[in-house]
Amino acid sequence: MAKESSSRRIDTASRVIMASPQNIYQAFVNPKALISWLPPNGMSGYVDTFDPKEGGVYRMTLTYEMDESKPGKTSENKDVTQGRFLELVPDKRIVQSVNFDSEDPAFSGEMIQSWLFEAVSEGTSVTIVCENVPEGIRKEDHDTGLRSTLENLAVFIEKEK
């Protein structure tokens, strides 16, 4: 039996957030809002370029602030990502192509990241699906980062109410 390539890994996370799909979608398409909640705990970031339309591109830098044991993908303590918006369906989903700026082939390749928003009685179920996760990203670290980002989004959105 052939072993499936680890570069084809799919990681997911989801959480119900007490807000409307419209409010959550807006937190994605506003770069100031996005960078305030997107970086997982222990990281900060800034947006270099951001054009939220289908075919539009973005570039952002995330900086590791605390954990020296997790080196950055781009430099000692930074992850630089470049992406392209593949699909923007207001209040429903955002699909983007994500590439890390890295000389390490373990972080190369295009990861497809989908953010899905579904209205539920308690608010909105937000699901992240990451396809073709680069093999250099440890599954445990990615799962922790995705959950942390969803927690940050919940805190950001719920305090805005």
Side-chain angles (χ1 to χ4, degrees), residues 9 11 64 67 69-71 73 106-107 133-146:
R9 190 175 89 220
D11 293 344
Y64 292 86
D67 193 348
S69 69
K70 294 179 184 169
K73 297 167 193 68
F107 297 113
V133 177
E135 64 186 27
I137 300 174
R138 288 186 45 222
K139 178 159 179 48
E140 300 78 22
D141 293 341
H142 203 212
D143 289 346
T144 299
L146 294 175

Side-chain angles (χ1 to χ4, degrees), residues 26-28 30-41 43-47 60 62 148-149 151-157 159-160:
Q26 288 305 310
F28 275 84
N30 175 326
K32 279 188 173 176
L34 179 72
I35 206 62
S36 74
W37 62 262
L38 183 70
N41 290 337
M43 298 184 85
S44 63
Y46 61 90
V47 175
M60 67 179 69
L62 301 179
S148 175
T149 293
E151 172 70 21
N152 294 345
L153 174 60
V155 169
F156 174 82
I157 287 286
K159 78 173 173 145
E160 294 289 308

Side-chain angles (χ1 to χ4, degrees), residues 15-21 24 116-120 122-126:
R15 176 188 174 118
V16 172
I17 297 176
M18 293 183 291
S20 70
I24 293 172
L116 311 169
F117 315 124
E118 180 183 351
V120 294
E122 305 88 358
T124 301
S125 175
V126 179

Side-chain angles (χ1 to χ4, degrees), residues 26-121:
Q26 288 305 310
F28 275 84
V29 296
N30 175 326
K32 279 188 173 176
L34 179 72
I35 206 62
S36 74
W37 62 262
L38 183 70
N41 290 337
M43 298 184 85
S44 63
Y46 61 90
V47 175
D48 300 302
T49 307
F50 195 77
D51 187 13
K53 64 181 182 191
E54 287 189 15
V57 296
Y58 67 87
R59 178 181 161 93
M60 67 179 69
T61 301
L62 301 179
T63 303
Y64 292 86
E65 296 176 332
M66 301 183 309
D67 193 348
E68 309 272 328
S69 69
K70 294 179 184 169
K73 297 167 193 68
T74 305
S75 66
E76 185 176 308
N77 67 336
K78 294 193 185 311
D79 289 351
V80 176
T81 59
Q82 296 193 55
R84 187 168 36 89
F85 291 100
L86 303 176
E87 188 178 4
L88 288 160
V89 180
D91 315 330
K92 298 278 186 207
R93 76 180 157 275
I94 296 172
V95 181
Q96 51 198 355
S97 160
V98 179
N99 289 282
F100 292 99
D101 286 353
S102 180
E103 293 182 12
D104 185 340
F107 297 113
S108 67
E110 176 184 64
M111 178 172 66
I112 302 298
Q113 190 175 74
S114 301
W115 293 80
L116 311 169
F117 315 124
E118 180 183 351
V120 294
S121 60

